[in-house]
Amino acid sequence: MMKHNFNKSHSTIQNLLSVPKPLFSGAAAAAFSLPIARKNTSTTINTKKSKKSNGVLWRHCGGTRVKAILTTATAAKSTTTLKAKVTVLETLGGALSHLGSRVIDDVMDLLGKTILLELVASELDPQSGLEKTTIKSYAHNSGHNNNEYYYETSFEVHEDFGEIGAVLIENEHHREMFVKNIVFSGFSTTTNDSVEVTCNSWIHPKSDNPDEKRIFFWNKSYLPSQTPTALRRYRQKELEILRGDGRGERKTADRIYDYDFYNDLGDPDSDVDLSRPVLGGPHRPYPRRCRTGRPRTKKDPSSESRSSSVYVPRDEAFSEVKTESFATKAVYSVLHALIPSMKSQIMNTDTDIGFPYFTAIDTLFNEGIELPNDSTTGSLASIMPRLVKTISEKCFLRFETPQFVNRDKFAWFRDAEFARQTLAGVNPCCIKLVTEWPLKSKLDPAVYGPAESAITKELIEQEIGGFTTVDEALKQKKFFVLDYHDVLLPFVNKVRELQGTTLYGSRTLFYLTPADTLRPLAIELTRPPVDGKPQWKQVFHPTWDATGVWLWRLAKAHVLAHDSGFHQLVSHWLRTHCCTEPYVIATNRQLSAMHPIYRLLHPHLRYTMEINALAREALINANGAIENSFSPGKYSIELSSVAYDQLWQFNLEALPADLINRGMAVEDPTAPHGLKLTIEDYPYASDGLLLWDAIKQWVTDYVAYYYQEPSLVQSDNELQAWWTEIRTVGHGDKKIGWPELKTPDDLIGILTTIIWVASGHHAAVNFGQFDFGAYFPNRPTIARTQMPTEEPKDEEKKQFLEKPEEFLLKCFPSQHQAATVMAIIDVLSNHSPDEEYIGEQIQPYWADDKVIKASFERFHGQLNVIAGIIDARNADTNMKNRAGAGVMPYELLKPYSEPGVTGKGIPNSVSI
C-alpha cells in the first residue's frame, strides 16, 4: 500500500491517518448541548442555549458535533475526563488466526498498549492557524463477552480543545482487528450522555503501515465547503488513500477502490477453451468492476490471471463479521463444496442424464440426493440445514417444497400461469406493449434472414375468435410481447456448436382480456441461416389436437429457458449487481465519509462488491455454474454485454421511465404516482410505484435539508466529481441516457434511481427465484434439444410422436443442472437473520438530527403502510394476477420479512 506522510506541513500533529468507511455514528450526540464534567470548577452548565453563566460561555453545538470543553473568559482553565470503550469483535481473520503472534499481542494487552486512540479537534487554533495537538491515550483490555472484546481508556481534555471532530485509531497488535464501535462518556456528571462512534471496520496492524492510522469522523455531515477547518486536510487525504495510485496488485488488507474491465472471467492458462473475451470498451461495452491488479495470463495478455480469492476493499468484506447463517457463507459453500460433492455422486452415472419421468423430479423434495460421507459434506449440514439433511449418519441434499408447488403443483402446465408470471413472476420487467404491426426485427436481414415475423394477422384473428381485429386491438393496447428475438438470434449458431444445449430467437405474443389477464396467442421460434440453409422460423399456438398441444408445450419450454437466461444474466446480474458496482467504487473514491450523500447511499451499496467478487470467482466465470446450466453456455456473460449495449440506459432504470419506455404506462397527472398503467393489475408495477414514491419522498426530504440553496449542488466539487466518474469511467462505454446534475431535483432523481435499483428492483428479481424456479419445469434454465419440427431425424420424430413426455423431459435440464441451479437459487432467495431491510433501522449518524430523524420515521411508516396495501391487494380476488385458487400472492415488494426463503422482504442493498 502506498504510504502517506500527513505531517509535512503540520508540525503540531504526528502520523495523521487515512479515513475509512463505514463511518461514524453517534447514538447520543444530540442536537442539543451536552453538559461536561469539569475539574477545578464548580460552575453549573446550562445546556439549553448559548449564554454566559458564572463567567462561563456555553456555545450551542448543533447536529452531532460534541464540544468536549467549555470556553471561559474569566475562570481558570480546566479539564474534563472523557472515557472511551472500544469493542473489538473476535473474527476468523482476527483473534482466532495468526497464532504465532498471539504471545506478543497478549503481552501488549497486559502492558495496556493494544489500541492507541487520538482525539482530533474540529477547528484550527485561532491564534496560530495550525491544527491543535491531538490528545492521545492507550486503551487496555478490560474483558470480553461472547465474541466481543473490550478495551478502555480515558482522556484529560483541556477546555480550549474545542469541539471533537474525529478520532484516530492505531492498532498495536500484530494482526488486524475488527473494531465495532467506540463509546465516549463523561460529558456530564448528572446524566448518562454518551457518544457512540460506529466503526465496523478492519484496522490493520501498525507494523504493516506505521505511517497510516485510521480516522473516523464524528457524526455531523458536511458538504465540502462547510468542512471545519481542522478536518479539511483529513477529508482530502482520506479520498486520496481510497483512490490509490492505480498500480500494483491489491493486498487483502488494502482499502483501495479502482476500476478495471471484466477481464478475469476466463482461465486460458488452464485450458484454451476457457478463454473468454474482455468485457468493457468499444467492442464489448460493459460496466467496470473493482481493480485487483493481478498479473496477466501467459496465453492471453489481455486477460487477468485467476486466484483462489478475489480482492475487494477490506471494509467491503463482511462474511466473517456477519452471523454464521449469513447468505454469502452459504453461497460459497454451495459453489465450492456442495456442487462438487453432488457432481461426484451423479458422475457415477452420467451428468447429462435427464429425469426419466415427471414424478422423478419429486424425489428432489421428498428423498433427495445422497452425498459423499466425508468431513466436508458433514459440515454443510450445519451451514445449510435447509439444504443438507443428516439421516442415520448419511447426508442428503434435499430441497424444501417451494410455495409454488404447495399451492398448485400443476400450475406450471397452464397457459394462464405462463402468462401471469410475465406480470407477477420473478422476471416481470421484460413484457412490453406492441405498438406496430407486423412485428419486425432490427437485425440485418442479409445476415439473419427476413426481418418480418411469421406471426400473421390471419393467425392472430383466428386465435382471438373474431372478437376484434388486429388493427383495433393495437389501438386499444391489447397486444403485449415477450421479445427475445434480436438479442438471442446472433448467438444461435454459436451456441448450437456447444454440446448439450440449443437456442432460438423467440417472440411470444399475448392478448389482454377484459379481466386484465394475459392470454398467450403465439410463439415464434427462429434460427438464422447456417451452412447454406436459409432462415428457419415457425409459429406455434394453443391448439386442440394432441400433436399441436405437445408442440406448444415444447415451444413454451424454449421460451421459458430464454426468459430464465435473460432474467439471470440481464434483469438480475447486469441491471443490479453489475451496474451497481461502479456506483460503489465512485462513491468511495469521490464522496468523503462525512459527505451527506455518501451517508445516504452507504446502506444501499454495502456488501455488493463482496457478492460480485464471489460471482466472478465461481458463478459467472468460465465453466462456472451459469455457463454449465443456462442455454447460452460459454456465451452467457457476453450476451449480457450485448444487452447492456443495446438496452441499458441510466435514465430508463427509474421505474416510471422503464414502465413508460415499455409501453406499460403513460404519464397522467390525475392518476396515482402520475402514471396510468396500461394493465391495471400489474403487481410488479403497482407495488413498485408505491415503493418508488416512498423512496423519492425520503430522498427529497434528505436532499432539501442539506442543499437548501440550489447552487450548492453545482458548487459541491465532490458530488460533481462523483457523478462525472460514474458517467465517464464506471459506465464509460455508455454515452447517452445520463441526466444532468445541476439542481436538487436532478440529484433527487439520480439518487432515487440508484436506491430503487439496489433495493426494490433487486428484491423483485431475486427473492422469488426459489419459489418460482425450484420446480424447474416452471422455469427451465436450459433447452437441450431442438424442436422436433426443425429438420427432424426419423428417430427423433418417432420418439416425439410415441413418447412426447419423454421428449419434453430430455429438453429440460439434466439432473445435475437442475440440482445445481436449485441449490444456488435456494441460498440466493434466503434472508439471513441479520438482514438489513430498507427503511427499517435508522443509521446512527442520523439518529440525533431531529429533522432527518423525522423524515426517516415518515419513510419507515410509509413502508409499513405499503405492506398493508400489498396484503389487501393479495386478498382481493378481483385482482386475478395476484389472487385466486392456487395463485401465488405477489409479495416480492413487501418491505419486511422474517428470516428464510419467504418470497418477500427488500434488503437495503444488493447483498446476495
Side-chain angles (χ1 to χ4, degrees):
M1 179 182 296
M2 184 177 180
K3 298 181 180 179
H4 295 263
N5 185 346
F6 290 173
N7 301 302
K8 291 181 180 179
S9 60
H10 299 268
S11 58
T12 57
I13 300 207
Q14 300 177 356
N15 299 329
L16 303 182
L17 308 156
S18 65
V19 186
K21 309 176 177 180
L23 314 168
F24 267 119
S25 64
F32 53 85
S33 304
L34 293 177
I36 309 297
R38 304 182 64 201
K39 294 183 177 179
N40 304 322
T41 180
S42 59
T43 301
T44 300
I45 299 170
N46 187 318
T47 65
K48 301 294 184 181
K49 57 184 178 180
S50 299
K51 67 178 184 179
K52 287 186 179 180
S53 176
N54 296 332
V56 178
L57 175 65
W58 172 252
R59 286 169 47 201
H60 177 91
C61 299
T64 54
R65 296 171 66 186
V66 177
K67 191 171 179 66
I69 297 297
L70 303 184
T71 301
T72 176
T74 59
K77 292 184 178 180
S78 59
T79 60
T80 296
T81 299
L82 295 183
K83 296 180 180 179
K85 182 176 183 179
V86 184
T87 300
V88 176
L89 297 187
E90 180 180 54
T91 68
L92 297 177
L96 298 183
S97 64
H98 307 289
L99 296 179
S101 62
R102 287 299 300 275
V103 174
I104 299 175
D105 290 341
D106 289 345
V107 171
M108 297 298 290
D109 281 350
L110 289 173
L111 295 176
K113 291 189 174 183
T114 301
I115 301 173
L116 177 63
L117 301 179
E118 299 182 42
L119 302 182
V120 179
S122 290
E123 303 291 348
L124 298 174
D125 186 287
Q127 297 180 345
S128 68
L130 301 176
E131 294 171 357
K132 298 174 183 177
T133 304
T134 58
I135 303 175
K136 303 179 181 181
S137 184
Y138 280 102
H140 61 276
N141 193 327
S142 61
H144 70 277
N145 181 30
N146 295 325
N147 69 328
E148 293 186 347
Y149 286 76
Y150 307 113
Y151 295 83
E152 297 184 1
T153 191
S154 61
F155 299 88
E156 297 299 320
V157 185
H158 201 272
E159 66 179 338
D160 59 7
F161 188 74
E163 294 168 348
I164 301 172
V167 59
L168 297 166
I169 303 179
E170 187 173 71
N171 174 14
E172 303 285 343
H173 269 185
H174 285 70
R175 60 189 185 275
E176 67 177 351
M177 61 175 59
F178 191 89
V179 177
K180 178 182 177 182
N181 60 25
I182 308 169
V183 177
F184 291 92
S185 60
F187 297 100
S188 171
T189 58
T190 59
T191 68
N192 293 322
D193 291 323
S194 62
V195 174
E196 177 188 346
V197 175
T198 298
C199 303
N200 283 334
S201 183
W202 296 94
I203 310 297
H204 66 268
K206 177 182 178 180
S207 57
D208 284 358
N209 191 350
D211 293 332
E212 184 185 314
K213 300 174 186 176
R214 296 294 304 278
I215 186 168
F216 295 89
F217 293 119
W218 227 248
N219 300 327
K220 185 174 174 60
S221 299
Y222 296 98
L223 299 180
S225 61
Q226 301 166 347
T227 310
T229 55
L231 300 180
R232 291 172 185 172
R233 186 169 59 87
Y234 290 94
R235 182 172 188 145
Q236 181 60 34
K237 285 297 180 181
E238 164 205 17
L239 293 174
E240 291 175 5
I241 289 175
L242 292 171
R243 293 171 192 152
D245 60 7
R247 296 181 295 179
E249 183 174 358
R250 298 274 63 88
K251 306 294 191 299
T252 300
D254 287 349
R255 298 185 299 120
I256 295 173
Y257 295 78
D258 203 355
Y259 300 94
D260 209 341
F261 298 110
Y262 274 76
N263 60 356
D264 64 340
L265 301 182
D267 191 8
D269 287 348
S270 296
D271 187 336
V272 67
D273 192 51
L274 296 181
S275 295
R276 296 293 181 269
V278 174
L279 302 184
H283 300 296
R284 293 183 177 87
Y286 216 56
R288 302 299 187 259
R289 49 94 172 175
C290 182
R291 179 185 177 276
T292 66
R294 289 175 293 186
R296 300 305 175 97
T297 62
K298 296 177 182 178
K299 294 183 179 179
D300 180 7
S302 65
S303 294
E304 187 174 272
S305 61
R306 296 182 60 77
S307 62
S308 58
S309 62
V310 178
Y311 165 80
V312 295
R314 192 66 183 106
D315 284 340
E316 301 293 336
F318 56 90
S319 56
E320 294 184 31
V321 298
K322 299 291 279 184
T323 63
E324 285 294 309
S325 59
F326 190 66
T328 49
K329 184 172 183 180
V331 173
Y332 188 92
S333 299
V334 165
L335 295 175
H336 292 276
L338 180 59
I339 291 176
S341 295
M342 179 180 65
K343 186 174 182 179
S344 68
Q345 288 295 93
I346 295 177
M347 282 182 66
N348 292 332
T349 54
D350 182 358
T351 54
D352 293 327
I353 192 170
F355 290 85
Y357 34 83
F358 275 94
T359 53
I361 300 172
D362 298 338
T363 63
L364 295 172
F365 305 106
N366 52 41
E367 294 180 18
I369 300 171
E370 184 176 350
L371 298 172
N373 190 9
D374 54 38
S375 58
T376 300
T377 304
S379 65
L380 293 175
S382 60
I383 298 172
M384 297 176 290
R386 250 185 70 92
L387 281 174
V388 180
K389 320 287 185 184
T390 302
I391 303 172
S392 300
E393 299 183 354
K394 293 183 179 180
C395 288
F396 292 86
L397 171 64
R398 180 188 294 174
F399 297 96
E400 301 287 334
T401 304
Q403 184 182 174
F404 178 81
V405 173
N406 276 333
R407 284 180 173 267
D408 186 347
K409 183 176 181 179
F410 299 105
W412 72 275
F413 222 53
R414 294 196 301 273
D415 290 349
E417 182 63 17
F418 169 60
R420 189 190 74 85
Q421 287 184 32
T422 66
L423 301 172
V426 75
N427 189 31
C429 44
C430 291
I431 189 78
K432 60 184 180 181
L433 177 70
V434 175
T435 57
E436 295 180 349
W437 194 272
L439 303 173
K440 283 187 178 180
S441 170
K442 296 179 181 179
L443 298 174
D444 184 354
V447 177
Y448 298 103
E452 188 169 311
S453 170
I455 302 175
T456 64
K457 273 188 177 183
E458 293 76 17
L459 186 150
I460 295 307
E461 289 178 352
Q462 179 182 334
E463 284 299 311
I464 56 181
F467 183 76
T468 187
T469 65
V470 167
D471 292 338
E472 189 63 27
L474 285 171
K475 292 178 183 178
Q476 295 177 0
K477 298 184 178 181
K478 294 293 186 179
F479 288 145
F480 296 83
V481 66
L482 202 59
D483 191 348
Y484 298 129
H485 182 278
D486 284 12
V487 74
L488 294 182
L489 202 63
F491 288 90
V492 168
N493 289 333
K494 292 191 292 186
V495 167
R496 287 183 168 211
E497 294 175 357
L498 306 177
Q499 183 178 357
T501 185
T502 192
L503 195 63
Y504 294 98
S506 69
R507 297 184 180 100
T508 306
L509 186 67
F510 300 88
Y511 178 76
L512 182 63
T513 72
D516 233 19
T517 59
L518 291 177
R519 173 189 162 195
L521 298 178
I523 291 172
E524 179 185 38
L525 300 179
T526 304
R527 184 213 66 206
V530 62
D531 298 333
K533 293 180 289 188
Q535 180 195 72
W536 177 90
K537 65 176 66 169
Q538 186 172 349
V539 177
F540 304 88
H541 56 91
T543 184
W544 299 101
D545 68 282
T547 300
V549 166
W550 280 102
L551 286 174
W552 174 248
R553 289 170 181 165
L554 279 165
K556 284 200 300 182
H558 282 274
V559 168
L560 287 167
H562 301 166
D563 190 63
S564 293
F566 194 89
H567 160 257
Q568 200 64 263
L569 298 169
V570 180
S571 302
H572 184 198
W573 162 255
L574 174 69
R575 291 182 63 182
T576 64
H577 289 261
C578 188
C579 287
T580 296
E581 186 151 340
Y583 310 150
V584 183
I585 299 172
T587 299
N588 284 276
R589 286 170 55 87
Q590 299 299 341
L591 297 182
S592 166
M594 64 171 71
H595 198 294
I597 302 305
Y598 174 89
R599 288 177 166 174
L600 175 68
L601 286 177
H602 182 253
H604 303 288
L605 303 179
R606 294 179 70 187
Y607 313 137
T608 301
M609 293 181 74
E610 172 89 345
I611 195 66
N612 286 2
L614 182 58
R616 300 202 327 265
E617 182 184 346
L619 196 59
I620 65 170
N621 61 302
N623 204 34
I626 294 293
E627 289 193 358
N628 283 322
S629 303
F630 285 77
S631 285
K634 65 185 290 184
Y635 302 103
S636 292
I637 302 303
E638 189 177 346
L639 188 152
S640 74
S641 169
V642 171
Y644 178 71
D645 182 32
Q646 296 179 0
L647 305 174
W648 190 89
Q649 288 183 197
F650 181 86
N651 60 335
L652 298 181
E653 293 303 288
L655 178 62
D658 169 53
L659 295 172
I660 293 169
N661 182 57
R662 290 188 286 119
M664 303 304 292
V666 294
E667 292 187 73
D668 183 351
T670 66
H673 321 290
L675 293 179
K676 178 176 175 56
L677 294 178
T678 312
I679 301 176
E680 290 297 328
D681 186 12
Y682 183 6
Y684 166 73
S686 56
D687 292 1
L689 288 169
L690 292 172
L691 179 65
W692 172 271
D693 280 359
I695 294 172
K696 187 175 182 180
Q697 185 59 59
W698 155 237
V699 173
T700 299
D701 292 345
Y702 191 92
V703 169
Y705 181 69
Y706 288 103
Y707 293 91
Q708 297 181 18
E709 296 294 330
S711 61
L712 290 173
V713 171
Q714 280 190 276
S715 64
D716 187 334
N717 62 299
E718 287 184 7
L719 187 69
Q720 294 297 327
W722 167 79
W723 185 233
T724 298
E725 188 167 284
I726 286 174
R727 294 184 293 110
T728 62
V729 184
H731 284 278
D733 299 333
K734 300 294 292 189
K735 306 304 180 185
I736 61 174
W738 298 105
E740 293 182 320
L741 180 51
K742 294 182 177 180
T743 68
D745 282 346
D746 295 338
L747 180 57
I748 290 165
I750 290 167
L751 295 173
T752 304
T753 298
I754 291 174
I755 293 171
W756 156 257
V757 168
S759 57
H761 177 86
H762 179 258
V765 299
N766 182 73
F767 291 101
Q769 290 191 83
F770 185 80
D771 279 333
F772 284 104
Y775 189 75
F776 65 85
N778 184 60
R779 288 191 65 77
T781 59
I782 189 171
R784 298 191 295 156
T785 59
Q786 295 170 194
M787 291 294 293
T789 53
E790 183 201 344
E791 302 175 358
K793 296 178 182 178
D794 290 341
E795 183 179 344
E796 292 174 346
K797 186 175 182 180
K798 180 181 179 183
Q799 181 191 34
F800 169 67
L801 292 173
E802 293 182 355
K803 294 183 178 180
E805 178 183 336
E806 185 178 291
F807 196 93
L808 178 60
L809 285 165
K810 284 188 176 181
C811 185
F812 282 157
S814 69
Q815 293 186 30
H816 178 255
Q817 289 168 331
T820 296
V821 171
M822 290 167 69
I824 292 171
I825 63 176
D826 183 278
V827 296
L828 293 182
S829 303
N830 207 322
H831 289 294
S832 64
D834 53 1
E835 191 76 87
E836 299 169 12
Y837 296 101
I838 188 168
E840 184 178 36
Q841 295 291 333
I842 192 169
Q843 296 299 305
Y845 28 77
W846 301 328
D848 299 303
D849 189 305
K850 294 180 180 179
V851 175
I852 296 298
K853 182 178 181 181
S855 296
F856 185 86
E857 288 176 347
R858 284 195 295 272
F859 179 45
H860 175 77
Q862 186 58 36
L863 293 173
N864 285 322
V865 170
I866 289 172
I869 293 172
I870 290 174
D871 285 341
R873 288 174 173 176
N874 288 327
D876 184 354
T877 54
N878 291 318
M879 294 185 170
K880 294 181 172 55
N881 290 319
R882 63 193 307 156
V887 173
M888 282 267 292
Y890 191 78
E891 297 184 306
L892 291 170
L893 290 172
K894 194 171 179 180
Y896 305 121
S897 172
E898 61 273 13
V901 177
T902 64
K904 58 185 174 183
I906 305 173
N908 268 325
S909 63
V910 183
S911 57
I912 188 62

